[in-house]
Amino acid sequence: MSTRRGFVGQMAALTALPTWREIPELILVNGDILTQDAATPRAKAIAIARGRIIAVGSNADIRALARPGTRTMDLGGKVVIPGVIDAHNHPAGAGLQHLFSVDCDLRSVGAIQAALRERSAKTPPGEWIQGFKYDDTKTAERRFLTRGDLDAVSTTHPIYVQHRGGHTGYVNSLAYERAGITESVADPVGGRFERDAAGRLSGRVTEAAAGMGGDADKRVTTRADQQAGVAEISRRLAAAGVTSVTDAYGSPDDLRAYQDARDAGQLHTRVYCHIGYMHLDRMIEAGVRTGLGDEWVKVGAVKSTADGSISERTARLAEPYVGRPSDFGITVMDADVLWPIFQKAHKAGWQIGTHTNGEVAIDAVAALYERLQKELPRKDPRFRFEHCTVLTPDLIRRIKGLGGIPTPFASYVYFHGEKMTEYGAARTERMFPMRWFLDAGIPATMGSDYPPGPFEPMMALTSMMTRTDIRGTTWGASQRITFDEALKVLTVNGAYASFEEHLKGSLAVGKVADLVVLARDPRTVPAIEIVNVKIERTMVGGRWVYEA
């Protein structure tokens, strides 16, 4: 029996060796490599040449491939995983915000005011002050910023602070004035100008109304700025072990910025760039569709938004928010608006990705996807449900029938747990339902949605495995998944979502050499502590892009 096992093991190792004469440029040995490749799930060593994996196997087998000039690195027994794929993020925009906006991820309203006031002192009167990553539930006051809070910062600078969730903004009086908004303004379709108890504009603008913040973007952003923003966010992603990212609402300018950063050697993360629906006609006229590009920068799906935000509590729900019996959230784009966009994109060969959080929005978009396949059937369209947060068993069945791909918030339970009280414990049993997705055979992915959620993959693992927040409260325990399942979500499933399962997602011969070396073995620590496991090294295309 032992002889037979040995023979089978030798044959398995041989299948992981190159079938052509390739001289490895780099060999990694003495690792605990979790390949996510069913043929060779565990290995000790990897050989790399020209940015690709040319062999996976034992230390002895891989060392035997070395030739003069081959570099060898001893991993010291460290765990290695495939490069993490963040399937829903906003890297280009976030990069610019990191460079030019005030980071309002602070713990009190006073601290936020102080940071904005410091910026205003350096900014000529009349110019916009912008903030980002503000989160009402992370402050001591646990309330929204008000018009008065921001007027106290400056009456000579228009101020626009974006909530971390990205769907609401907070403005001062001068910002209203600059946008031509008065007390008599009516709410736009798909948005609200929120008011205080006295009926006055409160300073909070949601969904479509938050578009008034567009005036704040009139600061001239140069092509060099855009490239610098991509370089900055790419550096941050690499340090977290993210080697591929989907830009979930990109533009032609963003595509150019990614290419400029790549050409300058500043792009450390592969990009699958969704294109906002407002650019669709221009892209079709230019002959562009999903898949155009290379293994570094590629055109993704066309993106639209059906409803509101989970972290800002504006998602369109079937039942009202806890404590707000008349508030069911906001529909941003209804079926009548979405259908012509979907029809045009589908005919032109585009993948379609739609922001859907609440079950009302998911139901509406699923119906449109079903209609597309009935009227204009296409093989393997891989319809995407971006976020796909609040589900029912029937919606799970329909998504499975469509071959749909959900991209739920992987870190939200852990990071945004304090917001779950507004959804209620019972509803959280069917929010971010990874257990349901995987049991149904649906290839759900990891999406951080950064800035709304942190992009650190170790936090995503903790969140999906424990369903417990940073304060120790558990939400939706029935949706917990295992480490092995969660790792597949972070890697293999992300590659499938962008039609790139042949290229990445696992450490297998012929695939790109994208991998992450962990400082500790996450399988040996309590799941709630995986969030603290550090990234030691990140490799993309055979090159170390981050070293601790």
Side-chain angles (χ1 to χ4, degrees), residues 145-152 171-173 176 183 200-204:
L145 288 172
T146 68
R147 177 181 183 173
D149 292 331
L150 299 180
D151 283 345
V171 301
N172 66 352
S173 296
Y176 280 131
E183 292 292 342
R200 295 182 65 251
L201 293 171
S202 68
R204 185 174 187 242

Side-chain angles (χ1 to χ4, degrees), residues 132-149:
F132 80 120
K133 287 173 70 176
Y134 157 67
D135 191 334
D136 60 295
T137 66
K138 305 295 185 191
T139 63
E141 295 85 355
R142 290 181 62 87
R143 66 167 174 82
F144 298 131
L145 288 172
T146 68
R147 177 181 183 173
D149 292 331

Side-chain angles (χ1 to χ4, degrees), residues 81-96 98 133 164 227-248 258 261 266-272 296 411 446-458 490 514-518 533-540 543-548:
I81 63 173
V84 173
I85 300 170
D86 186 339
H88 188 112
N89 192 304
H90 298 276
L96 284 171
H98 276 288
K133 287 173 70 176
R164 181 162 196 151
Q227 177 183 328
V230 166
E232 172 63 21
I233 198 67
S234 181
R235 179 186 64 78
R236 291 171 180 258
L237 290 165
V242 176
T243 60
S244 291
V245 64
T246 292
D247 186 324
Y258 292 128
Q266 299 171 326
L267 187 64
H268 305 316
T269 312
R270 304 179 194 278
V271 181
Y272 187 66
W296 278 98
S411 63
M446 168 239 184
S448 71
D449 200 29
Y450 188 78
F455 50 67
E456 285 75 14
M458 297 301 107
L490 298 182
D514 295 358
L515 56 85
V516 180
V517 181
L518 304 180
V533 173
K534 303 299 183 184
I535 306 302
E536 190 164 283
R537 292 172 177 267
T538 303
M539 174 182 285
V540 181
R543 181 171 65 91
W544 296 116
V545 294
Y546 171 76
E547 297 179 73

Side-chain angles (χ1 to χ4, degrees), residues 53-72:
I53 296 168
I54 63 169
V56 181
S58 69
N59 287 323
D61 287 334
I62 302 304
R63 284 186 188 277
L65 301 175
R67 297 293 182 270
T70 299
R71 293 174 289 121
T72 300

Side-chain angles (χ1 to χ4, degrees), residues 372-491:
L372 281 176
Q373 284 299 80
K374 181 178 180 180
E375 298 182 12
L376 304 162
R378 226 178 75 195
K379 183 180 179 181
D380 195 20
R382 298 194 194 182
F383 295 123
R384 294 176 60 128
F385 293 82
E386 307 292 338
H387 309 316
C388 201
T389 302
V390 186
L391 277 295
T392 65
D394 182 63
L395 287 172
I396 292 288
R397 177 188 59 78
R398 290 168 65 193
I399 291 169
K400 172 65 175 177
L402 282 163
I405 300 171
T407 62
F409 302 106
S411 63
Y412 262 37
V413 172
Y414 182 83
F415 186 75
H416 284 303
E418 76 279 356
K419 298 175 178 66
M420 296 302 109
T421 57
E422 297 188 47
Y423 293 93
R427 185 156 36 196
T428 64
E429 295 288 347
R430 52 189 182 88
M431 292 175 68
F432 330 106
M434 280 295 188
R435 179 78 277 145
W436 280 1
F437 288 139
L438 300 187
D439 285 351
I442 296 170
T445 68
M446 168 239 184
S448 71
D449 200 29
Y450 188 78
F455 50 67
E456 285 75 14
M458 297 301 107
M459 183 185 292
L461 287 174
T462 284
S463 191
M464 290 187 287
M465 292 171 64
T466 69
R467 297 285 297 203
T468 299
D469 68 25
I470 198 168
R471 294 164 181 79
T473 303
T474 298
W475 303 97
S478 64
Q479 297 296 342
R480 288 171 174 153
I481 60 176
T482 68
F483 173 83
D484 289 341
E485 290 171 328
L487 185 58
K488 184 175 181 180
V489 167
L490 298 182
T491 56

